[in-house]
């Protein structure tokens, strides 16, 4: 999508990032050829670039860098990026700037034995973190010596693979905290602002899933204290651009510095919604050398904004393991009010193993939190994504959960609410009847449509249309007898002794179907159907599989043989797509605890 939107585009290499977006020579060659005046780069690339430009002319590489000397980097300078990109150095700088920090070891952990010694001194539980890490990569929680040794090994391997830097640090693990971050904006003239907070506590594997601004937890005094410390840190490293200072906040509203991200965060739209500032525009102005246009007193909190990260992931596996595939159908809910979608894909795009599986950022805004959440619920119901597995069902369940609605959240929200893993929406008795009535009405509407061709009876001498049907609907909890009668565009459906009235325009060609069930509006999606009566419907965010048969067909179906289930006892399947990097066995070995490394 970004290539289509650009006036001019240049290919920087093949899909693997090491050969394209992280290839400094390729990036700089494109800058030279296009005569770009300014550039925004990956942090590690821009650090290398800015460091090269700071060298004496005789020491600069042979690539025509002299022609690039006038190019402006949109972002902070090298010192800030390096200092804040290294978790060890950033923690020391934060301490010196009088920012609250988490107790821990401030040096580099040499080996697993030293990691165990340090963990014992700090006191369990501890967090093992990659010094150069981010995005939840290279992080492990250890509750004892054995987990510390294992965590050290896995974290160092993941850190080396993801960041090319296997250095680790260890600090006290703050149990059951909130993850709240402060957006900062600074210029090259010594001015800096804090643009309020973002609540980012809904996470899986230390990666954010749902964000909102402001936080339900902070009072004005705590907000001001966090903001002032964030600005103090930004000034300490002479920061200039938009950046984010992340904190962990305990139940007593004590807050501790976590890290500073020297870039524009994924969740920045919620800050834009409540402040009215365009952060990208402000970054470009700062890079050009202009002073900030606003004072701290000018920064408002207007309304409430919520962002859901829509991923190509299977939420039923560890709250989201990546899915790959092609988007065969894609429709964003932009027809709804106060909805924003930031995405880089379109119908026909491929979700591959080379990049983060994020499909989009879905943002809704309201005058208050309840309004923003209601609009998010509607937006998720109206979001059409086909071809890949996605996490819409998990997102919807999170935002309607009573604990989330009340603001009772922490970074442990998902494992606490779903201790046995996410299972989808649990239907109430009324919701189950609504689903069965909608599915039966869809079935009958499809049968009636199949009898007509261009508005005419296919067989002129056919008998007049039926007005009632007796069906058998098989849902996961059992078989339900359903009686349907038609009156105009409405269906009267009797399910489990209860009558419901289902009305709709019945546009079966549309991916979205708006139905009203006894006055309750619902948006459903019919994902698939076949000649055997099997039907998949997305209802309240979750996909349900049903089988709908006529009463006669249902009675006869018991004589049909069932297909035997596949024997998977001798098959080892990866839970997610990836590359096999090691198989630590050979023919003849006895395997007691099999593990596949991906």
């Amino acid at each position: 999508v970004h290539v289509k939107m650009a006036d001019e585009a240049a290919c920087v290499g093949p899909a693997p990032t090491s050969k394209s977006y992280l290839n400094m020579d390729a990036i700089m060659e494109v800058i030279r050829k296009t005569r770009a005046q300014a550039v925004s780069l990956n942090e590690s690339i821009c650090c290398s670039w800015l460091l090269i430009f700071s060298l004496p002319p005789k020491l600069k590489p042979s690539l025509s860098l002299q022609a690039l000397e006038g190019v402006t980097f949109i972002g902070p300078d090298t010192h800030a990026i390096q200092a804040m990109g290294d978790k060890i150095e950033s923690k020391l700088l934060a301490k010196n700037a009088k920012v609250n920090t988490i107790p821990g070891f401030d040096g580099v952990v040499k080996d697993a034995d030293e990691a165990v010694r340090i963990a014992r001194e700090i006191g369990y539980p501890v967090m093992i973190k990659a010094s150069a890490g981010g995005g939840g990569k290279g992080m492990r929680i250890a509750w004892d010596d054995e987990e510390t040794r294992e965590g050290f090994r896995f974290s160092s391997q993941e850190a080396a693979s993801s960041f090319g830097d296997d250095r680790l640090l260890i600090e006290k693990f703050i149990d059951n905290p909130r993850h709240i971050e402060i957006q900062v904006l600074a210029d090259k003239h010594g001015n800096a602002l804090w643009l309020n907070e973002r609540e980012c506590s809904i996470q899986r594997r230390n990666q954010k899933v749902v964000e909102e601004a402001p936080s339900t937890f902070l009072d004005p005094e705590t907000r001001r204290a966090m903001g002032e410390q964030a600005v103090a840190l930004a000034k300490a490293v002479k920061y200039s651009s938009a950046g984010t200072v992340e904190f962990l906040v305990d139940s007593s509203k004590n807050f501790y510095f976590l890290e500073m991200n020297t870039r524009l965060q994924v969740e920045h739209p919620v800050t834009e919604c409540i402040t009215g500032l365009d952060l990208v525009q402000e970054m470009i102005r700062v890079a050009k050398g202009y002073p900030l246009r606003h004072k701290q007193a000018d920064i408002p909190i207007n309304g409430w904004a919520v962002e859901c990260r829509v991923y190509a992931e299977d939420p039923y596996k560890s709250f989201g393991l990546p899915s790959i595939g092609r988007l065969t159908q894609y429709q964003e809910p932009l027809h709804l009010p106060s909805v924003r979608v930031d995405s880089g894909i379109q119908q026909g795009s491929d979700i591959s193993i080379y990049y983060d599986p994020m499909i989009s950022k879905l943002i809704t805004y309201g005058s208050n939190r309840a309004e923003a959440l209601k609009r998010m619920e509607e937006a998720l119901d109206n979001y059409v994504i086909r071809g890949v597995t996605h996490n819409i069902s998990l997102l919807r369940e999170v935002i309607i959960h009573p604990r989330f609605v009340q603001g009772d959240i922490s970074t442990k929200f998902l494992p606490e609410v779903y201790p046995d893993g996410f299972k989808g929406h649990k239907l109430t008795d009324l919701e189950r009847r609504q689903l069965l009535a909608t599915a039966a009405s869809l079935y009958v509407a499809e049968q009636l449509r199949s009898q007509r061709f261009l508005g005419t009876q296919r067989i002129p001498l056919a008998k007049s249309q039926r007005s009632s049907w007796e069906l058998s609907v098989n849902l996961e909890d059992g078989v339900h007898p359903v009686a349907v009668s038609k009156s105009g565009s409405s269906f009267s459906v009797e399910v489990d002794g209860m009558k419901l009235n289902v009305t709709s325009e019945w546009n079966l060609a549309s991916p979205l179907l708006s139905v009203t069930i006894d006055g309750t509006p619902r948006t459903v999606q019919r994902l698939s159907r076949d000649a055997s009566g099997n039907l998949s419907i997305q209802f309240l965010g979750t996909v349900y599989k049903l089988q709908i048969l006529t009463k006669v067909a249902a009675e006869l179906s018991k004589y049909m043989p069932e297909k035997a289930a596949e024997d998977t006892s001798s098959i080892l399947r990866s839970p997610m797509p990836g590359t096999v990097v090691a198989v630590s066995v050979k023919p003849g070995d006895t395997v007691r605890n099999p593990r596949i490394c991906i």
Side-chain angles (χ1 to χ4, degrees), residues 392-455:
I392 293 287
S393 55
L394 174 63
L395 297 173
R396 194 183 189 282
E397 286 303 293
V398 167
I399 66 165
I400 67 171
H401 194 279
R403 271 189 57 181
F404 183 85
V405 173
Q406 294 164 11
D408 177 19
I409 60 176
S410 73
T411 56
K412 286 189 171 182
F413 178 88
L414 289 179
E416 286 179 351
V417 172
Y418 308 106
D420 300 320
F422 180 67
K423 307 297 183 183
H425 182 72
K426 186 177 180 180
L427 294 168
T428 64
D429 288 342
L430 177 59
E431 290 170 346
R432 180 179 293 102
R433 293 189 182 100
Q434 289 179 341
L435 172 59
L436 291 169
T438 301
S441 299
L442 266 172
Y443 174 85
V444 173
E446 185 70 47
Q447 295 298 309
L448 293 175
R449 187 180 72 163
S450 67
Q451 296 174 8
R452 305 184 66 84
F453 182 69
L454 293 178

Side-chain angles (χ1 to χ4, degrees), residues 268-317:
H268 78 272
V270 293
T271 297
E272 293 185 331
C273 287
I274 67 166
T275 63
L277 271 66
D278 184 330
L279 293 183
V280 175
Q281 182 186 30
E282 297 300 326
M283 289 177 68
I284 296 173
R285 284 179 53 83
V286 168
K288 183 66 175 175
Y290 293 120
L292 296 181
R293 296 178 289 180
H294 307 279
K295 303 295 182 183
Q296 189 61 59
D298 301 331
I299 306 303
I301 297 180
N302 290 329
W304 212 284
V306 180
E307 174 181 289
C308 285
R309 298 192 184 194
V310 181
Y311 281 100
E313 291 182 338
D314 186 347
Y316 299 94
K317 297 178 180 177

Side-chain angles (χ1 to χ4, degrees), residues 387-556:
V388 296
T389 305
H390 55 75
N391 67 333
I392 293 287
S393 55
L394 174 63
L395 297 173
R396 194 183 189 282
E397 286 303 293
V398 167
I399 66 165
I400 67 171
H401 194 279
R403 271 189 57 181
F404 183 85
V405 173
Q406 294 164 11
D408 177 19
I409 60 176
S410 73
T411 56
K412 286 189 171 182
F413 178 88
L414 289 179
E416 286 179 351
V417 172
Y418 308 106
D420 300 320
F422 180 67
K423 307 297 183 183
H425 182 72
K426 186 177 180 180
L427 294 168
T428 64
D429 288 342
L430 177 59
E431 290 170 346
R432 180 179 293 102
R433 293 189 182 100
Q434 289 179 341
L435 172 59
L436 291 169
T438 301
S441 299
L442 266 172
Y443 174 85
V444 173
E446 185 70 47
Q447 295 298 309
L448 293 175
R449 187 180 72 163
S450 67
Q451 296 174 8
R452 305 184 66 84
F453 182 69
L454 293 178
T456 306
Q457 295 286 347
R458 288 192 179 196
I459 304 175
L461 298 180
K463 296 179 181 179
S464 59
Q465 293 182 352
R466 295 168 54 185
S467 60
S468 62
W469 293 260
E470 290 188 353
L471 305 175
S472 175
V473 183
N474 190 344
L475 189 58
E476 53 195 17
D477 61 344
V479 178
H480 302 262
V482 178
V484 182
S485 59
K486 185 176 183 300
S487 176
S489 61
S490 299
F491 292 100
S492 177
V493 186
E494 184 174 346
V495 183
D496 298 337
M498 181 178 182
K499 284 191 175 183
L500 298 95
N501 189 56
V502 183
T503 61
S504 174
E505 293 182 0
W506 304 111
N507 181 5
L508 302 181
S510 173
L512 296 171
L513 189 67
S514 297
V515 300
T516 301
I517 311 165
D518 279 353
T520 302
R522 301 287 190 195
T523 299
V524 301
Q525 299 184 37
R526 186 185 61 173
L527 305 181
S528 66
R529 66 180 180 87
D530 62 25
S532 301
N534 295 308
L535 185 69
S536 291
I537 294 180
Q538 184 173 309
F539 179 76
L540 301 178
T542 296
V543 177
Y544 296 93
K545 295 183 178 180
L546 309 92
Q547 186 182 42
I548 305 177
L549 300 172
T550 64
K551 184 178 180 180
V552 174
E555 292 172 353
L556 296 174

Side-chain angles (χ1 to χ4, degrees), residues 362-374:
L362 177 63
I363 306 101
T364 56
Y365 174 79
S367 59
N368 53 52
R369 189 169 186 258
E371 186 176 52
L373 289 177
K374 183 61 179 176

Side-chain angles (χ1 to χ4, degrees), residues 60-81:
K60 291 183 179 180
S62 58
L63 184 63
S64 340
L65 293 174
Q66 298 295 337
L68 304 179
E69 291 278 4
V71 179
T72 300
F73 172 64
I74 301 174
D77 63 19
T78 311
H79 168 69
I81 294 174

